[in-house]
Amino acid sequence: MNFLLSILEGGGAVEAHPLIQQLLDLMWLLMEDYEVHECLKQLLMSLLRAYRFSPIVPDLGLQIHYLRLTIAILKHEKSRKYLLQNVLFDVLRSVVFFYIKSPLRVEEAGLQELIPTTWWPNRFNKEGKESKEVKDESAEERLRRRAYERGCQRLKKRIEVVEELQVQILKLLLNNKDHGGGGASRYIFLNKFRKFLQENASNRGNLTVLCPPEYMVCFLHRLISALRHYWDEHKMKNLSALSSEDAYVPPQLFYNGKVDYFDLQRLGGLLSHLKKTLKGKYDLASKANILIDPAELQAVTMDDLDEDEESAVSTAQRPAAALAIGGALARPSWLSSPTLGRANRFLSTAAVSLMTPRRSPGALEKVKVRTLNVEQRTEEDIEGSHGNEGLWLGRPAEEPEQPITENSLLEILDGIVMMYNLSVHQQLGKMVGVSDDVNEYAMALKDTEEKISRCPKRRRDIYEELVKSQKVFSEKLNHLSRRLAWINVTIYSKEKMQDIYWLLRVCIRTIEHGDRIGSLFAFMPEFYLSVAMNSYSALKNYFSPVNSMEELPGYEETLTHLAAILAKHFADPRIVGTDIRDSLMQALASYVCYPHSLRAVERIPEDQRISMMRNLLAPYEQRPWAQTNWILVRLWRGCGFGYRYTRLPHLLKTKPEDANLPSLQKPCPSTLLQQHMADLLRSDREMAPSFLNSVLNQLNWAFSEFIGMIQEIQQAAERLERNFVDSRQLKVCATCFDLSVSLLRVLEMTVTLAPEIFLDWSRPSSELLLRRLAQLLNQVLNRVTAERNLFDRVVNLRLPGLESVDHYPILVAVTGILVQLLVDTDFQGAERATAVLLADPCFQLRSIQYLLGHTEPLAEGAASPSSEKKHFSLQSYTDYISQEEVAKVEQMLGHLSEESKQAAASTL
């Protein structure tokens, strides 16, 4: 190896050193095949080991040297094909060649010389986020920041050299023109790549087989670069093909059986279930030109994987080609090769095992992993020829007749999407931690410097301790800011962000094309929807400290397309998996919390918006309704009575754990979607009663559960012996309270937008709905407003976990409904509402007076409350409730005075 490396030492392009190619030619000519095989195996093992364990030096010279030799060897066609077929994926973990490891110490990588000036954010807003205001910077800060950015650019240029070499390796492996001596390299790579994906998808619990996520991230980016190079190269030669900018995966790949998705879940369930349910439909036979083999209906399902004994019948029905490689799947553990957190163990075992002859794949073994029948596919099977359409088989009428690119590139693109889903997204989220650490230390340093400036001169001891702390924080920040520069260049750079954005757009286009083909959409693997949602989340939350998503080309349009997908598919009957349905619902809930994404929802076609609101207004029985309710609440937040707050008044003094949470975003109501809701409730006479009855049922349940739980908590707190309240019980209790408040807000929204549903008694269900509503409001008021009651006592305990439980959120929600019914409506409606409320046996005027701070006189002999205890009063929340709103409550109190009772009786 030293000799081969010395050939390349002169520098220059790899092509300028033909000696390596000539040496490899001589080896294949003069040595026996098994000797060359062994030699190449050992050579690649040594190269991989050297690349993996060589120290990071400032110019990354060692890594570049080893990658150049790897390229020189892989440029030799016969050697490349042998290594691809037998070594790169089978014996080695070749993904290592595409990884740029982070330096363990800043000093070893020479980052101090490369980035001599460090910088970190030191201006923060109230939520603890970095302030983006450049005008706040001093001249000295600006100079430091620019010097730091120049250092980061120098580092980026050095790393880009390594990345370009890694892309060159992949371009060699994706060569489809080298037909000499068997199939082209790309088709060997495709089969091995699919098997690599299967191992990582099917062995989620087996850490020795899984590729570490930090390797997957680098592999994904290099593979995207190589794929787009070949895709655009094909476009230049074929004008009818699409450019990589418009790439997508055609829907027939998901159901024509040419690409194996292992046992991954499809949108409509498992493949075996889909084939059984759609077997008799016209879609599979006529529309997709697919004939189903009866044996395929016996395909292995998830249930079969749990059985220890495989029946002889299912074994006989499996294709012979699939069984022929059965032995290879149950191969020795060393063939899984390195998980490089455990690299030392891997290298020692792999070195020994290279001497061991490989097991014969002929022996048929019982394997619990589904055998992969793609191992022996040829170029013809993939690309098609002479009437064989390859991967294009089963093209629906909605798709173009001419292939959009080479079929093999479609399969690689599909594999890239799967890779992102397997572990890349999780790793992107993990590495954000360094940026968070920098912000935390920067805030701590700023706080320490402020304390130093305030420290009295006579307290030298305190001053010295503070200076020590300042020094520790500064040193830590110097180290972290250089480490962050490395991470920002290798993981969160603008180019990496554009890769993830491209992947998001690929998924969006793929889902849109799949959606057009009717019930066959159910064959699409779930991970396409997951990657669309997760890649958007990554762009918004992980890349934002360095690069802004708003600067990406076509950003607004992409946001609108994704909004349309979420709005349409969160209630799509073709999607059956509960997990993916929950994810879609959560993504839509998060989407409506931010102004830019909410505007994207408002930009989708009107019929889709109305359809989304119709699905949101479906009855709350027999489905997960909490997220649906949360979406409606977000659309209303900012319009309700005293509902313009971001955080509750009593929580303002505490710092939120994560200010980026969707629930902590400023209110941004949507009047357009509210109008759609009002139109639907008014026009559909059956929808309104079924929806509102279900909301009232859930409110009754949630508030009753809450009261039952706080009774238990109060009893536990009053016991004399030492006792603990289960934190899970507190969490459930707080959740029931939050649900009660949000259900009340949805009722307030309904009463405001379409009051006639309750007050127009020509409708058959109006009077019943109004009576039910009045009964529930009276129950809630009585429980919450009674003097020194259970609710009061639990709120005053201020138990951790019950922070959100307070008088304000629930009382203003109830007040909002009452004001709409009794004040902000026409005279006849207000009269009816007043009558129903007063006629309810649970009505107590004291509860309404409580809202304005009026309290009942104490009974004789009763102990007076302590003067420190403040009574609840809407007037005290001037930052949250306007004078006009308080005046309406006083007006409402006049409607409900004792004199009104007689008039109410006559009205009824």
Side-chain angles (χ1 to χ4, degrees):
M1 193 163 115
N2 286 337
F3 167 61
L4 291 171
L5 285 167
S6 68
I7 296 171
L8 294 171
E9 264 176 1
V14 175
E15 291 82 359
H17 301 281
L19 182 54
I20 292 178
Q21 307 294 309
Q22 292 159 9
L23 281 167
L24 288 168
D25 280 337
L26 278 173
M27 286 168 68
W28 282 100
L29 185 67
L30 301 175
M31 294 165 73
E32 294 290 340
D33 278 2
Y34 73 88
E35 291 175 319
V36 186
H37 294 171
E38 196 60 34
C39 207
L40 285 170
K41 224 185 247 182
Q42 295 286 4
L43 180 58
L44 254 284
M45 171 68 82
S46 303
L47 266 174
L48 182 112
R49 196 182 297 177
Y51 176 78
R52 170 69 182 92
F53 292 112
S54 56
I56 301 275
V57 291
D59 64 350
L60 298 166
L62 295 170
Q63 280 74 17
I64 290 169
H65 209 34
Y66 295 125
L67 287 174
R68 277 163 55 82
L69 179 52
T70 307
I71 289 171
I73 292 165
L74 290 174
K75 273 186 176 293
H76 188 263
E77 185 179 324
K78 197 169 182 183
S79 303
R80 174 171 70 246
K81 288 184 182 175
Y82 165 72
L83 290 168
L84 253 178
Q85 189 72 58
N86 301 287
V87 178
L88 286 177
F89 284 92
D90 298 77
V91 178
L92 301 177
R93 173 150 301 149
S94 57
V95 178
V96 174
F97 282 121
F98 310 113
Y99 176 55
I100 301 176
K101 67 175 180 180
S102 299
L104 294 173
R105 293 184 301 280
V106 166
E107 297 78 25
E108 80 167 299
L111 288 181
Q112 284 168 321
E113 293 76 43
L114 209 57
I115 308 174
T117 309
T118 56
W119 173 87
W120 49 84
N122 60 358
R123 299 195 176 277
F124 302 94
N125 56 23
K126 289 176 186 174
E127 286 88 24
K129 296 181 193 171
E130 177 191 342
S131 174
K132 301 279 184 195
E133 294 293 321
V134 178
K135 63 184 179 186
D136 294 342
E137 275 186 326
S138 65
E140 185 190 348
E141 281 173 10
R142 194 176 301 113
L143 285 171
R144 270 186 62 200
R145 178 171 58 79
R146 286 176 180 169
Y148 176 71
E149 285 169 356
R150 284 196 298 275
C152 292
Q153 280 303 314
R154 285 193 292 272
L155 174 64
K156 186 177 180 182
K157 282 186 179 128
R158 294 185 179 187
I159 284 177
E160 279 174 351
V161 174
V162 178
E163 290 179 348
E164 181 50 42
L165 289 170
Q166 293 171 331
V167 173
Q168 276 185 44
I169 292 176
L170 273 170
K171 284 180 184 174
L172 287 170
L173 301 183
L174 292 180
N175 183 351
N176 67 336
K177 303 290 185 283
D178 53 345
H179 290 285
S185 300
R186 183 184 295 177
Y187 305 102
I188 306 171
F189 175 85
L190 254 186
N191 292 337
K192 295 293 179 182
F193 180 51
R194 208 74 200 168
K195 198 167 179 183
F196 165 80
L197 291 173
Q198 187 198 22
E199 286 174 349
N200 282 278
S202 306
N203 293 288
R204 303 303 290 154
N206 185 355
L207 293 175
T208 57
V209 179
L210 293 182
C211 175
E214 59 270 26
Y215 291 29
M216 276 284 206
V217 174
C218 295
F219 187 28
L220 176 105
H221 288 297
R222 309 304 172 266
L223 196 51
I224 287 176
S225 299
L227 171 79
R228 294 192 69 176
H229 164 80
Y230 278 114
W231 194 298
D232 290 330
E233 193 179 78
H234 179 76
K235 161 71 180 165
M236 288 166 72
K237 295 173 189 170
N238 298 270
L239 295 177
S240 63
L242 290 179
S243 74
S244 66
E245 200 54 51
D246 302 315
Y248 69 94
V249 180
Q252 61 266 31
L253 261 71
F254 308 135
Y255 57 74
N256 67 13
K258 294 284 185 176
V259 178
D260 197 324
Y261 289 100
F262 334 127
D263 284 307
L264 292 177
Q265 190 84 356
R266 310 297 184 103
L267 293 177
L270 282 174
L271 184 62
S272 52
H273 162 74
L274 277 172
K275 285 184 173 175
K276 285 172 190 170
T277 51
L278 294 177
K279 183 187 174 189
K281 290 197 175 183
Y282 73 95
D283 301 78
L284 281 179
S286 61
K287 191 173 181 185
N289 310 314
I290 289 180
L291 295 172
I292 300 178
D293 178 0
E296 280 195 64
L297 294 178
Q298 305 292 326
V300 181
T301 64
M302 285 294 190
D303 301 331
D304 301 328
L305 293 177
D306 296 331
E307 294 172 11
D308 286 329
E309 291 300 320
E310 267 187 305
S311 67
V313 179
S314 66
T315 307
Q317 284 170 338
R318 254 185 222 150
L323 283 170
I325 62 143
L329 276 164
R331 61 196 193 194
S333 59
W334 61 267
L335 285 177
S336 308
S337 61
T339 304
L340 280 144
R342 299 160 288 283
N344 292 326
R345 185 184 66 206
F346 149 66
L347 287 167
S348 58
T349 53
V352 173
S353 56
L354 280 173
M355 312 305 167
T356 314
R358 195 166 173 190
R359 296 171 61 178
S360 162
L364 298 182
E365 298 180 21
K366 283 187 289 185
V367 282
K368 285 198 174 185
V369 182
R370 188 170 155 218
T371 50
L372 194 62
N373 59 6
V374 296
E375 184 80 10
Q376 297 170 357
R377 292 180 309 162
T378 61
E379 178 177 351
E380 198 172 299
D381 295 331
I382 294 165
E383 301 290 3
S385 66
H386 310 300
N388 169 14
E389 294 180 276
L391 298 187
W392 211 246
L393 174 71
R395 178 187 63 82
E398 293 83 357
E399 285 299 301
E401 286 184 26
Q402 292 299 316
I404 56 173
T405 187
E406 294 168 288
N407 289 348
S408 49
L409 298 180
L410 293 174
E411 188 174 326
I412 293 170
L413 177 58
D414 175 75
I416 288 172
V417 179
M418 194 190 295
M419 273 169 68
Y420 185 89
N421 187 57
L422 289 175
S423 57
V424 172
H425 182 72
Q426 159 202 350
Q427 182 67 11
L428 289 177
K430 185 177 165 189
M431 299 311 292
V432 172
V434 179
S435 173
D436 295 340
D437 289 347
V438 168
N439 279 349
E440 279 181 29
Y441 276 103
M443 284 182 75
L445 178 64
K446 192 177 179 188
D447 187 44
T448 306
E449 286 170 346
E450 285 173 2
K451 285 176 181 172
I452 288 173
S453 66
R454 295 199 310 269
C455 182
K457 289 181 181 177
R458 64 179 185 278
R459 295 304 305 266
R460 292 292 303 169
D461 53 338
I462 294 177
Y463 179 79
E464 284 166 12
E465 286 301 319
L466 286 170
V467 169
K468 278 183 198 170
S469 298
Q470 183 188 26
K471 189 182 174 191
V472 169
F473 291 144
S474 294
E475 285 174 1
K476 187 73 177 172
L477 276 166
N478 279 328
H479 171 82
L480 279 174
S481 65
R482 290 187 176 108
R483 187 161 171 240
L484 184 62
W486 183 280
I487 288 168
N488 283 345
V489 168
T490 54
I491 298 176
Y492 299 118
S493 70
K494 191 170 185 180
E495 292 73 18
K496 309 292 184 294
M497 187 182 197
Q498 285 165 346
D499 281 349
I500 304 299
Y501 182 59
W502 177 78
L503 201 58
L504 165 64
R505 296 176 79 167
V506 164
C507 288
I508 288 174
R509 280 189 289 269
T510 302
I511 294 163
E512 287 174 345
H513 279 263
D515 181 36
R516 294 174 198 158
I517 59 169
S519 55
L520 288 173
F521 179 59
F523 279 90
M524 181 181 284
E526 278 185 357
F527 63 75
Y528 274 89
L529 277 169
S530 300
V531 172
M533 294 182 282
N534 287 337
S535 55
Y536 167 70
S537 168
L539 290 166
K540 188 163 73 75
N541 300 317
Y542 303 157
F543 287 84
S544 54
V546 191
N547 299 294
S548 172
M549 191 180 171
E550 283 84 353
E551 294 166 9
L552 291 165
Y555 160 75
E556 296 280 341
E557 185 192 355
T558 303
L559 225 57
T560 309
H561 281 286
L562 184 57
I565 285 170
L566 296 176
K568 179 166 188 180
H569 297 301
F570 82 94
D572 191 332
R574 295 171 296 182
I575 300 174
V576 299
T578 50
D579 288 346
I580 193 71
R581 287 176 77 92
D582 284 351
S583 298
L584 284 163
M585 185 72 85
Q586 285 169 16
L588 183 60
S590 172
Y591 224 70
V592 298
C593 290
Y594 299 88
H596 57 280
S597 49
L598 178 60
R599 301 298 160 247
V601 176
E602 292 178 342
R603 286 196 300 270
I604 66 177
E606 186 177 356
D607 59 327
Q608 291 183 23
R609 292 197 304 267
I610 293 171
S611 174
M612 177 186 87
M613 293 309 295
R614 189 182 296 281
N615 287 323
L616 288 173
L617 296 174
Y620 282 6
E621 273 88 25
Q622 291 153 3
R623 71 187 183 95
W625 54 269
Q627 286 286 0
T628 309
N629 197 73
W630 159 251
I631 293 169
L632 292 173
V633 167
R634 278 304 306 191
L635 298 177
W636 178 242
R637 191 168 197 164
C639 294
F641 184 93
Y643 202 35
R644 291 173 291 280
Y645 58 83
T646 302
R647 296 184 68 211
L648 287 166
H650 67 287
L651 294 179
L652 283 180
K653 290 176 185 173
T654 60
K655 188 183 169 190
E657 285 181 22
D658 181 3
N660 292 317
L661 283 173
S663 56
L664 293 177
Q665 302 311 304
K666 289 178 181 174
C668 51
S670 170
T671 48
L672 177 65
L673 296 175
Q674 286 175 21
Q675 191 55 51
H676 289 326
M677 176 175 169
D679 293 344
L680 282 167
L681 289 173
R682 285 196 194 102
S683 60
D684 193 329
R685 295 213 163 206
E686 289 181 8
M687 175 194 281
S690 61
F691 169 68
L692 286 167
N693 274 315
S694 68
V695 172
L696 292 166
N697 290 342
Q698 300 299 356
L699 175 60
N700 193 17
W701 167 82
F703 193 70
S704 302
E705 286 292 311
F706 168 69
I707 293 297
M709 284 182 190
I710 62 171
Q711 282 172 342
E712 290 174 24
I713 291 165
Q714 173 66 20
Q715 286 162 8
E718 284 177 348
R719 289 192 199 114
L720 294 175
E721 71 271 14
R722 187 178 176 82
N723 59 82
F724 298 95
V725 180
D726 186 357
S727 60
R728 284 172 302 180
Q729 187 183 8
L730 293 173
K731 195 172 180 182
V732 173
C733 180
T735 303
C736 285
F737 180 77
D738 293 340
L739 286 174
S740 302
V741 172
S742 60
L743 287 161
L744 284 165
R745 286 296 184 183
V746 168
L747 287 168
E748 180 194 17
M749 182 184 186
T750 312
V751 168
T752 309
L753 297 175
E756 59 268 35
I757 294 168
F758 291 94
L759 302 175
D760 177 6
W761 285 8
S762 63
R763 288 170 172 255
S765 54
S766 289
E767 187 179 352
L768 181 62
L769 284 171
L770 184 60
R771 286 185 188 280
R772 283 198 70 191
L773 180 63
Q775 185 184 27
L776 268 168
L777 294 179
N778 281 325
Q779 293 278 15
V780 172
L781 279 171
N782 292 347
R783 289 286 192 179
V784 175
T785 62
E787 284 294 319
R788 293 178 297 285
N789 69 351
L790 179 64
F791 187 85
D792 257 349
R793 291 201 294 274
V794 170
V795 167
N796 292 332
L797 286 174
R798 291 289 173 215
L799 295 170
L802 290 185
E803 291 89 356
S804 63
V805 178
D806 193 65
H807 290 83
Y808 181 85
I810 196 158
L811 286 180
V812 289
V814 171
T815 308
I817 299 172
L818 291 172
V819 165
Q820 282 300 328
L821 288 172
L822 306 177
V823 180
D824 287 348
T825 188
D826 60 63
F827 176 75
Q828 190 180 23
E831 205 172 40
R832 281 175 182 161
T834 306
V836 169
L837 199 68
L838 291 171
D840 186 70
C842 300
F843 175 76
Q844 292 182 19
L845 186 63
R846 176 192 55 74
S847 298
I848 310 294
Q849 292 169 335
Y850 182 94
L851 300 172
L852 294 170
H854 305 169
T855 53
E856 289 179 319
L858 288 172
E860 277 188 50
S864 63
S866 60
S867 56
E868 296 90 42
K869 167 81 171 73
K870 286 184 181 178
H871 285 291
F872 176 87
S873 170
L874 293 174
Q875 292 100 316
S876 59
Y877 293 93
T878 51
D879 292 344
Y880 295 84
I881 301 172
S882 65
Q883 286 300 316
E884 187 186 344
E885 286 174 322
V886 172
K888 285 181 181 178
V889 179
E890 288 170 346
Q891 189 181 340
M892 177 181 78
L893 193 58
H895 282 311
L896 298 171
S897 61
E898 289 297 324
E899 296 79 48
S900 307
K901 281 199 173 179
Q902 286 179 333
S906 64
T907 301
L908 286 175

